Structures are given as structure tokens and as C-alpha cells.
Amino acid sequence: MTISLEELAARLDRVESELALHRLAHDYCIGADHRDLPRWESVWTADAVWEAGPDHVMTGIEAIRSAVREQWETFPVMQHATANHTVEVAGATATGRSDLVLLLQLPDLRWVVGGGTYEDGYRRGEDGRWRIAHRRVVRPFDLAPLAASDGAGHVTEDGTYVGGLEIAESEV
């Protein structure tokens, strides 16, 4: 089987695009969870739409930035985990879907477990980078808050983790 250079270039572009889109999904979670605003902003197009819920639709990077800052003020700790990420690339646009599990610590140190599915529209910019142009949360769920555990830790205002379970050296 002979493959032309054009066919090989198209296949390579598809593979590189899929890898970049998977990395984009990771950068979204890392940016949110580690309060890394430059990383968070880098995943969105300037005109992006983020539909976090029917009553929570943010349009444009300024509104999206404001919304994540509000989340950071509300929840001392956030931990996103996405799985089952699939993408379909069509030139300079793509669609994707991933499942989400989210752990949120409330100010009183109790925890909420939630999640859902992200349905995404992606766009490749003139710089060649893929970004989220539209993200919609579907099938959301939240479980009732869990009681604060005896060993629960938390993140202080300066970002330091405090607490947690201590393991005796003899148990290691």
C-alpha cells in the first residue's frame, strides 16, 4: 500500500489534533483545580460560550474568567476528573464529549460530589492552537454534601494545603 505525502500529512494532522484536544481537556481541569488563571484562559477562544447550567451561561473570556474566580472564592478545593473523551476533527473545527466527576469542598469543609458530561465545540486558531469555543454541561448531577471527615484537609488563602491523614512511619 502506497500512501501519498498529502495523505500522510492529513493523517499526521488528525493525530496531532486529537492529542492537542485531549491535552486541552486536561488543561481545563488543571487550570480550574490549581487556580492557574493563565492556563484556564488559554483553553478558551475569545468569544467562547460556557454553559455550566441552564441559568449559568457565560459568553466571552471576561465572563468566563469572572465565573471561575467566583468558583475559586466559593470552593476552597475543586478537583475535576474527566474520562471517556472522544473527539471528531473536521478541518479547523472539532467536536468532543467527555464525562466528568467533580469534587468540591464547601467553606465548612464538607464535600460535594457532582459531575455530568461535557459537550464541546473546538476551533483551531490562526496560531494553530486548539481552544474550546463552546462547552455545555449535560446530564449534571450533585450528591448531597458529605460530612467533613476527621482527616479532611483544606487549602488556605495563600494556596497551602493544611491537614489530611497522617500515616505513621511504621505503616509505610
Side-chain angles (χ1 to χ4, degrees), residues 125-158:
E126 291 192 18
D127 62 357
R129 290 199 54 215
W130 287 96
R131 291 182 175 81
I132 300 169
H134 187 241
R135 171 160 274 189
R136 182 168 67 117
V137 178
V138 297
R139 301 181 336 136
F141 70 88
D142 290 317
L143 304 178
L146 304 170
S149 63
D150 292 342
H154 65 279
V155 177
T156 63
E157 286 185 23
D158 69 357

PDB file of all heavy atoms in Angstrom, residues 125-158:
ATOM      1  N   GLY A 125      -7.175  28.025  16.058  1.00  0.00           N
ATOM      2  CA  GLY A 125      -6.891  29.421  15.735  1.00  0.00           C
ATOM      3  C   GLY A 125      -5.865  29.557  14.627  1.00  0.00           C
ATOM      4  O   GLY A 125      -5.249  28.574  14.203  1.00  0.00           O
ATOM      5  N   GLU A 126      -5.670  30.778  14.219  1.00  0.00           N
ATOM      6  CA  GLU A 126      -4.675  31.043  13.180  1.00  0.00           C
ATOM      7  C   GLU A 126      -3.267  30.706  13.653  1.00  0.00           C
ATOM      8  O   GLU A 126      -2.373  30.470  12.840  1.00  0.00           O
ATOM      9  CB  GLU A 126      -4.772  32.493  12.721  1.00  0.00           C
ATOM     10  CG  GLU A 126      -6.059  32.747  11.956  1.00  0.00           C
ATOM     11  CD  GLU A 126      -6.057  34.082  11.236  1.00  0.00           C
ATOM     12  OE1 GLU A 126      -4.976  34.661  11.031  1.00  0.00           O
ATOM     13  OE2 GLU A 126      -7.157  34.510  10.873  1.00  0.00           O
ATOM     14  N   ASP A 127      -3.072  30.662  14.974  1.00  0.00           N
ATOM     15  CA  ASP A 127      -1.778  30.271  15.527  1.00  0.00           C
ATOM     16  C   ASP A 127      -1.603  28.755  15.554  1.00  0.00           C
ATOM     17  O   ASP A 127      -0.581  28.253  16.000  1.00  0.00           O
ATOM     18  CB  ASP A 127      -1.599  30.846  16.938  1.00  0.00           C
ATOM     19  CG  ASP A 127      -2.641  30.327  17.930  1.00  0.00           C
ATOM     20  OD1 ASP A 127      -3.551  29.555  17.529  1.00  0.00           O
ATOM     21  OD2 ASP A 127      -2.556  30.707  19.119  1.00  0.00           O
ATOM     22  N   GLY A 128      -2.625  28.007  15.098  1.00  0.00           N
ATOM     23  CA  GLY A 128      -2.554  26.551  15.058  1.00  0.00           C
ATOM     24  C   GLY A 128      -3.010  25.869  16.332  1.00  0.00           C
ATOM     25  O   GLY A 128      -3.109  24.643  16.374  1.00  0.00           O
ATOM     26  N   ARG A 129      -3.292  26.643  17.395  1.00  0.00           N
ATOM     27  CA  ARG A 129      -3.699  26.064  18.680  1.00  0.00           C
ATOM     28  C   ARG A 129      -5.197  25.818  18.718  1.00  0.00           C
ATOM     29  O   ARG A 129      -5.989  26.654  18.275  1.00  0.00           O
ATOM     30  CB  ARG A 129      -3.318  27.000  19.830  1.00  0.00           C
ATOM     31  CG  ARG A 129      -1.813  27.050  20.049  1.00  0.00           C
ATOM     32  CD  ARG A 129      -1.434  27.562  21.409  1.00  0.00           C
ATOM     33  NE  ARG A 129      -2.109  26.797  22.448  1.00  0.00           N
ATOM     34  CZ  ARG A 129      -2.547  27.322  23.590  1.00  0.00           C
ATOM     35  NH1 ARG A 129      -2.376  28.593  23.840  1.00  0.00           N
ATOM     36  NH2 ARG A 129      -3.140  26.567  24.476  1.00  0.00           N
ATOM     37  N   TRP A 130      -5.564  24.683  19.286  1.00  0.00           N
ATOM     38  CA  TRP A 130      -6.969  24.352  19.503  1.00  0.00           C
ATOM     39  C   TRP A 130      -7.435  24.998  20.798  1.00  0.00           C
ATOM     40  O   TRP A 130      -6.683  25.070  21.779  1.00  0.00           O
ATOM     41  CB  TRP A 130      -7.150  22.845  19.599  1.00  0.00           C
ATOM     42  CG  TRP A 130      -7.021  22.157  18.286  1.00  0.00           C
ATOM     43  CD1 TRP A 130      -5.905  21.551  17.777  1.00  0.00           C
ATOM     44  CD2 TRP A 130      -8.051  22.006  17.307  1.00  0.00           C
ATOM     45  NE1 TRP A 130      -6.176  21.035  16.540  1.00  0.00           N
ATOM     46  CE2 TRP A 130      -7.496  21.300  16.222  1.00  0.00           C
ATOM     47  CE3 TRP A 130      -9.376  22.400  17.228  1.00  0.00           C
ATOM     48  CZ2 TRP A 130      -8.224  20.965  15.085  1.00  0.00           C
ATOM     49  CZ3 TRP A 130     -10.113  22.070  16.103  1.00  0.00           C
ATOM     50  CH2 TRP A 130      -9.538  21.369  15.049  1.00  0.00           C
ATOM     51  N   ARG A 131      -8.690  25.450  20.804  1.00  0.00           N
ATOM     52  CA  ARG A 131      -9.296  26.033  22.003  1.00  0.00           C
ATOM     53  C   ARG A 131     -10.765  25.637  22.065  1.00  0.00           C
ATOM     54  O   ARG A 131     -11.359  25.259  21.052  1.00  0.00           O
ATOM     55  CB  ARG A 131      -9.158  27.556  21.975  1.00  0.00           C
ATOM     56  CG  ARG A 131      -7.717  28.032  22.149  1.00  0.00           C
ATOM     57  CD  ARG A 131      -7.614  29.542  22.169  1.00  0.00           C
ATOM     58  NE  ARG A 131      -6.275  29.984  22.453  1.00  0.00           N
ATOM     59  CZ  ARG A 131      -5.286  30.056  21.569  1.00  0.00           C
ATOM     60  NH1 ARG A 131      -5.495  29.698  20.319  1.00  0.00           N
ATOM     61  NH2 ARG A 131      -4.095  30.489  21.914  1.00  0.00           N
ATOM     62  N   ILE A 132     -11.324  25.756  23.247  1.00  0.00           N
ATOM     63  CA  ILE A 132     -12.754  25.486  23.425  1.00  0.00           C
ATOM     64  C   ILE A 132     -13.525  26.714  22.961  1.00  0.00           C
ATOM     65  O   ILE A 132     -13.321  27.809  23.479  1.00  0.00           O
ATOM     66  CB  ILE A 132     -13.095  25.181  24.894  1.00  0.00           C
ATOM     67  CG1 ILE A 132     -12.324  23.948  25.389  1.00  0.00           C
ATOM     68  CG2 ILE A 132     -14.601  24.993  25.069  1.00  0.00           C
ATOM     69  CD1 ILE A 132     -12.402  23.734  26.892  1.00  0.00           C
ATOM     70  N   ALA A 133     -14.432  26.523  22.008  1.00  0.00           N
ATOM     71  CA  ALA A 133     -15.296  27.604  21.540  1.00  0.00           C
ATOM     72  C   ALA A 133     -16.658  27.530  22.222  1.00  0.00           C
ATOM     73  O   ALA A 133     -17.321  28.554  22.395  1.00  0.00           O
ATOM     74  CB  ALA A 133     -15.472  27.526  20.020  1.00  0.00           C
ATOM     75  N   HIS A 134     -17.046  26.330  22.625  1.00  0.00           N
ATOM     76  CA  HIS A 134     -18.343  26.143  23.280  1.00  0.00           C
ATOM     77  C   HIS A 134     -18.271  24.900  24.157  1.00  0.00           C
ATOM     78  O   HIS A 134     -17.866  23.835  23.694  1.00  0.00           O
ATOM     79  CB  HIS A 134     -19.436  25.975  22.220  1.00  0.00           C
ATOM     80  CG  HIS A 134     -20.800  25.951  22.797  1.00  0.00           C
ATOM     81  ND1 HIS A 134     -21.637  24.874  22.682  1.00  0.00           N
ATOM     82  CD2 HIS A 134     -21.492  26.884  23.505  1.00  0.00           C
ATOM     83  CE1 HIS A 134     -22.789  25.135  23.277  1.00  0.00           C
ATOM     84  NE2 HIS A 134     -22.713  26.350  23.792  1.00  0.00           N
ATOM     85  N   ARG A 135     -18.603  25.051  25.411  1.00  0.00           N
ATOM     86  CA  ARG A 135     -18.663  23.908  26.335  1.00  0.00           C
ATOM     87  C   ARG A 135     -20.010  23.947  27.025  1.00  0.00           C
ATOM     88  O   ARG A 135     -20.400  24.960  27.601  1.00  0.00           O
ATOM     89  CB  ARG A 135     -17.539  23.960  27.357  1.00  0.00           C
ATOM     90  CG  ARG A 135     -17.693  22.905  28.458  1.00  0.00           C
ATOM     91  CD  ARG A 135     -16.425  22.609  29.177  1.00  0.00           C
ATOM     92  NE  ARG A 135     -15.711  21.579  28.427  1.00  0.00           N
ATOM     93  CZ  ARG A 135     -14.636  20.934  28.836  1.00  0.00           C
ATOM     94  NH1 ARG A 135     -14.103  21.237  30.012  1.00  0.00           N
ATOM     95  NH2 ARG A 135     -14.050  20.019  28.099  1.00  0.00           N
ATOM     96  N   ARG A 136     -20.714  22.817  26.969  1.00  0.00           N
ATOM     97  CA  ARG A 136     -22.027  22.710  27.601  1.00  0.00           C
ATOM     98  C   ARG A 136     -22.033  21.496  28.518  1.00  0.00           C
ATOM     99  O   ARG A 136     -21.605  20.414  28.125  1.00  0.00           O
ATOM    100  CB  ARG A 136     -23.099  22.552  26.530  1.00  0.00           C
ATOM    101  CG  ARG A 136     -24.508  22.491  27.087  1.00  0.00           C
ATOM    102  CD  ARG A 136     -25.529  22.632  25.982  1.00  0.00           C
ATOM    103  NE  ARG A 136     -25.513  21.492  25.085  1.00  0.00           N
ATOM    104  CZ  ARG A 136     -26.543  20.664  24.916  1.00  0.00           C
ATOM    105  NH1 ARG A 136     -27.660  20.862  25.564  1.00  0.00           N
ATOM    106  NH2 ARG A 136     -26.449  19.667  24.081  1.00  0.00           N
ATOM    107  N   VAL A 137     -22.508  21.693  29.752  1.00  0.00           N
ATOM    108  CA  VAL A 137     -22.648  20.591  30.696  1.00  0.00           C
ATOM    109  C   VAL A 137     -24.041  19.989  30.517  1.00  0.00           C
ATOM    110  O   VAL A 137     -25.038  20.705  30.603  1.00  0.00           O
ATOM    111  CB  VAL A 137     -22.456  21.066  32.153  1.00  0.00           C
ATOM    112  CG1 VAL A 137     -22.651  19.915  33.127  1.00  0.00           C
ATOM    113  CG2 VAL A 137     -21.087  21.707  32.339  1.00  0.00           C
ATOM    114  N   VAL A 138     -24.069  18.694  30.240  1.00  0.00           N
ATOM    115  CA  VAL A 138     -25.336  17.978  30.131  1.00  0.00           C
ATOM    116  C   VAL A 138     -25.322  16.832  31.134  1.00  0.00           C
ATOM    117  O   VAL A 138     -24.275  16.428  31.617  1.00  0.00           O
ATOM    118  CB  VAL A 138     -25.594  17.443  28.700  1.00  0.00           C
ATOM    119  CG1 VAL A 138     -25.699  18.599  27.714  1.00  0.00           C
ATOM    120  CG2 VAL A 138     -24.526  16.471  28.260  1.00  0.00           C
ATOM    121  N   ARG A 139     -26.497  16.350  31.464  1.00  0.00           N
ATOM    122  CA  ARG A 139     -26.666  15.262  32.441  1.00  0.00           C
ATOM    123  C   ARG A 139     -25.967  15.568  33.763  1.00  0.00           C
ATOM    124  O   ARG A 139     -25.286  14.725  34.339  1.00  0.00           O
ATOM    125  CB  ARG A 139     -26.159  13.932  31.871  1.00  0.00           C
ATOM    126  CG  ARG A 139     -26.835  13.499  30.626  1.00  0.00           C
ATOM    127  CD  ARG A 139     -26.347  12.176  30.063  1.00  0.00           C
ATOM    128  NE  ARG A 139     -25.007  11.832  30.456  1.00  0.00           N
ATOM    129  CZ  ARG A 139     -24.634  10.617  30.866  1.00  0.00           C
ATOM    130  NH1 ARG A 139     -25.487   9.637  30.909  1.00  0.00           N
ATOM    131  NH2 ARG A 139     -23.394  10.373  31.214  1.00  0.00           N
ATOM    132  N   PRO A 140     -26.125  16.791  34.301  1.00  0.00           N
ATOM    133  CA  PRO A 140     -25.438  17.108  35.554  1.00  0.00           C
ATOM    134  C   PRO A 140     -26.048  16.359  36.732  1.00  0.00           C
ATOM    135  O   PRO A 140     -27.225  16.026  36.732  1.00  0.00           O
ATOM    136  CB  PRO A 140     -25.652  18.617  35.695  1.00  0.00           C
ATOM    137  CG  PRO A 140     -26.937  18.870  34.988  1.00  0.00           C
ATOM    138  CD  PRO A 140     -26.959  17.886  33.837  1.00  0.00           C
ATOM    139  N   PHE A 141     -25.219  16.089  37.730  1.00  0.00           N
ATOM    140  CA  PHE A 141     -25.710  15.509  38.975  1.00  0.00           C
ATOM    141  C   PHE A 141     -24.899  16.061  40.139  1.00  0.00           C
ATOM    142  O   PHE A 141     -23.742  16.418  39.984  1.00  0.00           O
ATOM    143  CB  PHE A 141     -25.643  13.976  38.956  1.00  0.00           C
ATOM    144  CG  PHE A 141     -24.237  13.415  39.014  1.00  0.00           C
ATOM    145  CD1 PHE A 141     -23.613  13.173  40.231  1.00  0.00           C
ATOM    146  CD2 PHE A 141     -23.540  13.125  37.846  1.00  0.00           C
ATOM    147  CE1 PHE A 141     -22.327  12.666  40.290  1.00  0.00           C
ATOM    148  CE2 PHE A 141     -22.250  12.611  37.895  1.00  0.00           C
ATOM    149  CZ  PHE A 141     -21.647  12.373  39.113  1.00  0.00           C
ATOM    150  N   ASP A 142     -25.534  16.156  41.279  1.00  0.00           N
ATOM    151  CA  ASP A 142     -24.879  16.513  42.533  1.00  0.00           C
ATOM    152  C   ASP A 142     -25.434  15.586  43.602  1.00  0.00           C
ATOM    153  O   ASP A 142     -26.641  15.350  43.653  1.00  0.00           O
ATOM    154  CB  ASP A 142     -25.192  17.955  42.964  1.00  0.00           C
ATOM    155  CG  ASP A 142     -24.527  18.978  42.076  1.00  0.00           C
ATOM    156  OD1 ASP A 142     -23.355  18.790  41.735  1.00  0.00           O
ATOM    157  OD2 ASP A 142     -25.197  19.975  41.728  1.00  0.00           O
ATOM    158  N   LEU A 143     -24.565  15.079  44.439  1.00  0.00           N
ATOM    159  CA  LEU A 143     -24.987  14.296  45.586  1.00  0.00           C
ATOM    160  C   LEU A 143     -25.076  15.226  46.786  1.00  0.00           C
ATOM    161  O   LEU A 143     -24.446  16.280  46.814  1.00  0.00           O
ATOM    162  CB  LEU A 143     -23.993  13.167  45.858  1.00  0.00           C
ATOM    163  CG  LEU A 143     -23.736  12.216  44.686  1.00  0.00           C
ATOM    164  CD1 LEU A 143     -22.699  11.173  45.075  1.00  0.00           C
ATOM    165  CD2 LEU A 143     -25.021  11.537  44.240  1.00  0.00           C
ATOM    166  N   ALA A 144     -25.841  14.838  47.778  1.00  0.00           N
ATOM    167  CA  ALA A 144     -25.950  15.654  48.986  1.00  0.00           C
ATOM    168  C   ALA A 144     -24.560  15.823  49.602  1.00  0.00           C
ATOM    169  O   ALA A 144     -23.713  14.929  49.491  1.00  0.00           O
ATOM    170  CB  ALA A 144     -26.888  14.977  49.985  1.00  0.00           C
ATOM    171  N   PRO A 145     -24.293  16.971  50.235  1.00  0.00           N
ATOM    172  CA  PRO A 145     -22.968  17.181  50.827  1.00  0.00           C
ATOM    173  C   PRO A 145     -22.607  16.075  51.811  1.00  0.00           C
ATOM    174  O   PRO A 145     -23.447  15.600  52.580  1.00  0.00           O
ATOM    175  CB  PRO A 145     -23.111  18.522  51.551  1.00  0.00           C
ATOM    176  CG  PRO A 145     -24.193  19.232  50.807  1.00  0.00           C
ATOM    177  CD  PRO A 145     -25.156  18.130  50.396  1.00  0.00           C
ATOM    178  N   LEU A 146     -21.369  15.669  51.746  1.00  0.00           N
ATOM    179  CA  LEU A 146     -20.833  14.684  52.676  1.00  0.00           C
ATOM    180  C   LEU A 146     -20.308  15.414  53.893  1.00  0.00           C
ATOM    181  O   LEU A 146     -19.813  16.536  53.789  1.00  0.00           O
ATOM    182  CB  LEU A 146     -19.696  13.903  52.009  1.00  0.00           C
ATOM    183  CG  LEU A 146     -20.037  13.209  50.689  1.00  0.00           C
ATOM    184  CD1 LEU A 146     -18.770  12.690  50.026  1.00  0.00           C
ATOM    185  CD2 LEU A 146     -21.026  12.091  50.933  1.00  0.00           C
ATOM    186  N   ALA A 147     -20.392  14.778  55.033  1.00  0.00           N
ATOM    187  CA  ALA A 147     -19.874  15.384  56.260  1.00  0.00           C
ATOM    188  C   ALA A 147     -18.368  15.569  56.140  1.00  0.00           C
ATOM    189  O   ALA A 147     -17.690  14.799  55.457  1.00  0.00           O
ATOM    190  CB  ALA A 147     -20.200  14.494  57.453  1.00  0.00           C
ATOM    191  N   ALA A 148     -17.861  16.589  56.810  1.00  0.00           N
ATOM    192  CA  ALA A 148     -16.415  16.787  56.835  1.00  0.00           C
ATOM    193  C   ALA A 148     -15.794  15.597  57.538  1.00  0.00           C
ATOM    194  O   ALA A 148     -16.274  15.166  58.586  1.00  0.00           O
ATOM    195  CB  ALA A 148     -16.070  18.083  57.567  1.00  0.00           C
ATOM    196  N   SER A 149     -14.748  15.016  56.949  1.00  0.00           N
ATOM    197  CA  SER A 149     -14.111  13.867  57.581  1.00  0.00           C
ATOM    198  C   SER A 149     -13.095  14.353  58.601  1.00  0.00           C
ATOM    199  O   SER A 149     -12.603  15.471  58.535  1.00  0.00           O
ATOM    200  CB  SER A 149     -13.448  12.982  56.527  1.00  0.00           C
ATOM    201  OG  SER A 149     -12.435  13.696  55.870  1.00  0.00           O
ATOM    202  N   ASP A 150     -12.790  13.472  59.570  1.00  0.00           N
ATOM    203  CA  ASP A 150     -11.854  13.838  60.630  1.00  0.00           C
ATOM    204  C   ASP A 150     -10.494  14.231  60.073  1.00  0.00           C
ATOM    205  O   ASP A 150      -9.821  15.086  60.628  1.00  0.00           O
ATOM    206  CB  ASP A 150     -11.670  12.676  61.610  1.00  0.00           C
ATOM    207  CG  ASP A 150     -12.925  12.411  62.409  1.00  0.00           C
ATOM    208  OD1 ASP A 150     -13.798  13.307  62.469  1.00  0.00           O
ATOM    209  OD2 ASP A 150     -13.063  11.302  62.950  1.00  0.00           O
ATOM    210  N   GLY A 151     -10.115  13.611  58.975  1.00  0.00           N
ATOM    211  CA  GLY A 151      -8.795  13.867  58.410  1.00  0.00           C
ATOM    212  C   GLY A 151      -8.816  14.825  57.242  1.00  0.00           C
ATOM    213  O   GLY A 151      -7.846  14.906  56.519  1.00  0.00           O
ATOM    214  N   ALA A 152      -9.929  15.513  57.049  1.00  0.00           N
ATOM    215  CA  ALA A 152     -10.018  16.385  55.873  1.00  0.00           C
ATOM    216  C   ALA A 152      -9.015  17.510  55.957  1.00  0.00           C
ATOM    217  O   ALA A 152      -8.818  18.119  56.999  1.00  0.00           O
ATOM    218  CB  ALA A 152     -11.431  16.948  55.750  1.00  0.00           C
ATOM    219  N   GLY A 153      -8.401  17.788  54.854  1.00  0.00           N
ATOM    220  CA  GLY A 153      -7.503  18.918  54.762  1.00  0.00           C
ATOM    221  C   GLY A 153      -8.198  20.031  54.003  1.00  0.00           C
ATOM    222  O   GLY A 153      -9.328  19.879  53.552  1.00  0.00           O
ATOM    223  N   HIS A 154      -7.540  21.140  53.904  1.00  0.00           N
ATOM    224  CA  HIS A 154      -8.092  22.244  53.126  1.00  0.00           C
ATOM    225  C   HIS A 154      -6.955  23.112  52.611  1.00  0.00           C
ATOM    226  O   HIS A 154      -5.815  22.991  53.044  1.00  0.00           O
ATOM    227  CB  HIS A 154      -9.082  23.062  53.968  1.00  0.00           C
ATOM    228  CG  HIS A 154      -8.458  23.765  55.123  1.00  0.00           C
ATOM    229  ND1 HIS A 154      -8.174  23.133  56.311  1.00  0.00           N
ATOM    230  CD2 HIS A 154      -8.054  25.042  55.265  1.00  0.00           C
ATOM    231  CE1 HIS A 154      -7.623  23.997  57.149  1.00  0.00           C
ATOM    232  NE2 HIS A 154      -7.535  25.166  56.541  1.00  0.00           N
ATOM    233  N   VAL A 155      -7.284  23.959  51.683  1.00  0.00           N
ATOM    234  CA  VAL A 155      -6.308  24.878  51.118  1.00  0.00           C
ATOM    235  C   VAL A 155      -6.548  26.252  51.716  1.00  0.00           C
ATOM    236  O   VAL A 155      -7.672  26.756  51.710  1.00  0.00           O
ATOM    237  CB  VAL A 155      -6.438  24.929  49.578  1.00  0.00           C
ATOM    238  CG1 VAL A 155      -5.466  25.946  48.996  1.00  0.00           C
ATOM    239  CG2 VAL A 155      -6.210  23.553  48.981  1.00  0.00           C
ATOM    240  N   THR A 156      -5.497  26.846  52.263  1.00  0.00           N
ATOM    241  CA  THR A 156      -5.612  28.176  52.855  1.00  0.00           C
ATOM    242  C   THR A 156      -5.655  29.222  51.753  1.00  0.00           C
ATOM    243  O   THR A 156      -5.437  28.918  50.583  1.00  0.00           O
ATOM    244  CB  THR A 156      -4.427  28.455  53.793  1.00  0.00           C
ATOM    245  OG1 THR A 156      -3.227  28.442  53.021  1.00  0.00           O
ATOM    246  CG2 THR A 156      -4.355  27.424  54.922  1.00  0.00           C
ATOM    247  N   GLU A 157      -5.912  30.478  52.143  1.00  0.00           N
ATOM    248  CA  GLU A 157      -5.996  31.558  51.162  1.00  0.00           C
ATOM    249  C   GLU A 157      -4.716  31.726  50.359  1.00  0.00           C
ATOM    250  O   GLU A 157      -4.752  32.141  49.210  1.00  0.00           O
ATOM    251  CB  GLU A 157      -6.361  32.877  51.847  1.00  0.00           C
ATOM    252  CG  GLU A 157      -7.803  32.927  52.271  1.00  0.00           C
ATOM    253  CD  GLU A 157      -8.174  34.290  52.834  1.00  0.00           C
ATOM    254  OE1 GLU A 157      -7.503  35.280  52.512  1.00  0.00           O
ATOM    255  OE2 GLU A 157      -9.155  34.346  53.583  1.00  0.00           O
ATOM    256  N   ASP A 158      -3.571  31.374  50.937  1.00  0.00           N
ATOM    257  CA  ASP A 158      -2.311  31.500  50.188  1.00  0.00           C
ATOM    258  C   ASP A 158      -1.994  30.260  49.363  1.00  0.00           C
ATOM    259  O   ASP A 158      -0.925  30.139  48.780  1.00  0.00           O
ATOM    260  CB  ASP A 158      -1.147  31.839  51.126  1.00  0.00           C
ATOM    261  CG  ASP A 158      -0.775  30.690  52.061  1.00  0.00           C
ATOM    262  OD1 ASP A 158      -1.450  29.636  52.045  1.00  0.00           O
ATOM    263  OD2 ASP A 158       0.207  30.848  52.811  1.00  0.00           O
TER     264      ASP A 158
END
